[in-house]
Amino acid sequence: MKNKPLDFSSVRVGVIRFLGSNCEMDAFYALKDTVKTKADVVWYEHTNLDGFDALLIPGGFSFGDYLRSGALASRLPIMDSIRQFVAKKKPVLGICNGFQILTEAAILPGALLHNDKGSFVSQDIFISDDLGKTLKMPIAHGEGRYYCDEKTLLRLKNKNAIAYRYSTSGGMTSQESNPNGSIENIAGIWSEDRKVLGLMPHPERAMLSHLSGSSTDGRRVFERFFEEGL
Amino acid sequence: MGHKVKYQVLVSLKDEVLDPEAKTIQEVLSKSGYTSLKDVHISKRYEIEIEAPESQAEKMVLAIAEGYLANPVSQSFKIQRI
């Protein structure tokens, strides 16, 4: 791990709000009050992203999740700005619907399909990160089953790009700990340059113990994202 | 008024991708006595009307199906003139 002090106070993060986003304020306060970055909520029609050091695409149901979840949002002009942002090697974090948008835009590989049991899941789960640390945080999604073909899966493994897997509290990835049928328990992935991170769990809902029960593990996701990406 | 051309686009999950909805329907039908039922497959059907010369309309409906209606990672599509 890079040996940097965890001071992100000079980092300005743009939180993209689409029609139908609903986690943008949780993300905004998580950044501003807990991670202590600068943060602004940006309406998706505002396509000038100059001045931001990082972007966050929050959860929700952008454009009603019509067509497929994240599909309509991923085809809007702001995505051209986000692609340019990614091309400049600046970090982008997609949470839940944000992850779906990033895969629909093919900025991250694979797709997020209807959960294998056919129902929406809303519960606390455990994920293990690529350093072996186990984190507890909530999930809330109907379409979170990560899917990709064999070739893509092999590439994810070879590039060490599987960021998070659903696991037991002890860090074991088992079928029982997989809430949605994701291939190889995948809950989140990095881009190959580790600047873009997408995950289905909600770190912004696991920041403060008095709001999220016992878990403040969401902080670790944000710290990791900024450590890798900045 | 220009020439109107109408298409249907059928979008479905690729065969190798699990469709929980289709599988659940199949299970319930089988348990309801339709024991010779072997498979249920679900498609989403879009009707697209384009006012343009046919060669142009064909290109347009293909671009819409490829670029929007189907996700190449998990879905396939069929276009039919109707």
Side-chain angles (χ1 to χ4, degrees):
Chain A
M1 189 170 323
K2 292 169 198 170
N3 198 12
K4 277 190 217 165
L6 303 179
D7 175 8
F8 304 118
S9 58
S10 64
V11 178
R12 185 173 286 279
V13 187
V15 179
I16 312 292
R17 171 192 272 157
F18 291 97
L19 196 67
S21 296
N22 64 14
C23 299
E24 72 277 23
M25 293 317 293
D26 288 11
F28 171 81
Y29 287 115
L31 289 165
K32 188 172 137 307
D33 293 345
T34 310
V35 191
K36 299 200 186 296
T37 68
K38 295 184 177 74
D40 290 300
V41 175
V42 184
W43 181 238
Y44 75 95
E45 287 173 304
H46 178 86
T47 55
N48 181 353
L49 300 173
D50 294 348
F52 290 116
D53 305 303
L55 297 177
L56 190 155
I57 309 179
F61 300 87
S62 53
F63 297 89
D65 272 354
Y66 295 143
L67 201 56
R68 291 172 304 278
S69 42
L72 292 174
S74 76
R75 283 150 175 88
L76 290 165
I78 186 143
M79 293 311 291
D80 295 333
S81 308
I82 293 174
R83 269 180 232 284
Q84 286 166 19
F85 200 86
V86 169
K88 286 182 203 158
K89 303 280 179 198
K90 289 181 168 187
V92 178
L93 173 60
I95 299 171
C96 196
N97 196 223
F99 185 20
Q100 294 165 336
I101 291 168
L102 289 171
T103 57
E104 275 288 343
I107 291 171
L108 290 174
L112 292 146
L113 308 179
H114 284 280
N115 299 342
D116 61 346
K117 294 188 182 63
S119 57
F120 193 93
V121 285
S122 178
Q123 63 192 74
D124 279 342
I125 46 90
F126 292 94
I127 51 175
S128 291
D129 72 12
D130 47 350
L131 303 174
K133 195 170 167 56
T134 302
L135 311 170
K136 182 185 177 187
M137 64 191 67
I139 51 169
H141 59 247
E143 287 159 75
R145 174 171 46 118
Y146 185 78
Y147 171 81
C148 63
D149 61 20
E150 285 291 325
K151 204 176 138 195
T152 307
L153 183 62
L154 196 64
R155 198 172 167 90
L156 286 173
K157 286 179 179 172
N158 288 342
K159 299 285 177 182
N160 197 23
I162 299 173
Y164 300 102
R165 292 178 196 258
Y166 300 107
S167 72
T168 63
S169 57
M172 294 278 288
T173 54
S174 62
Q175 209 177 337
E176 291 70 38
S177 63
N178 187 340
N180 53 27
S182 288
I183 198 163
E184 301 229 356
N185 285 39
I186 291 173
I189 56 174
W190 294 104
S191 59
E192 289 182 11
D193 63 6
R194 301 177 94 72
K195 298 287 180 184
V196 183
L197 173 64
L199 77 166
M200 287 313 295
H202 283 278
E204 82 283 14
R205 298 187 194 175
M207 301 299 281
L208 302 165
S209 54
H210 60 278
L211 287 179
S212 52
S214 59
S215 178
T216 55
D217 290 347
R219 297 176 187 195
R220 188 66 206 127
V221 173
F222 283 97
E223 286 167 6
R224 208 45 222 297
F225 166 68
F226 288 121
E227 282 166 9
E228 292 283 348
L230 290 172
Chain B
M1 288 293 280
H3 179 56
K4 279 184 188 165
V5 201
K6 212 167 173 182
Y7 298 93
Q8 74 166 14
V9 183
L10 291 175
V11 179
S12 53
L13 284 174
K14 289 180 182 172
D15 289 340
E16 65 269 28
V17 181
L18 169 75
D19 183 345
E21 187 179 0
K23 195 167 174 254
T24 306
I25 293 167
Q26 186 191 333
E27 275 174 17
V28 170
L29 287 171
S30 295
K31 283 176 188 162
S32 304
Y34 296 100
T35 47
S36 53
L37 181 105
K38 291 297 171 221
D39 200 13
V40 173
H41 199 75
I42 299 175
S43 295
K44 198 167 180 180
R45 179 174 177 273
Y46 298 87
E47 263 186 40
I48 310 254
E49 194 175 90
I50 299 168
E51 192 173 299
E54 196 167 334
S55 60
Q56 209 177 313
E58 250 174 46
K59 278 182 198 155
M60 195 186 288
V61 72
L62 183 63
I64 290 169
E66 278 180 342
Y68 292 75
L69 303 184
N71 180 334
V73 175
S74 56
Q75 297 175 310
S76 59
F77 65 87
K78 278 184 205 156
I79 300 172
Q80 284 174 332
R81 175 91 189 267
I82 52 171

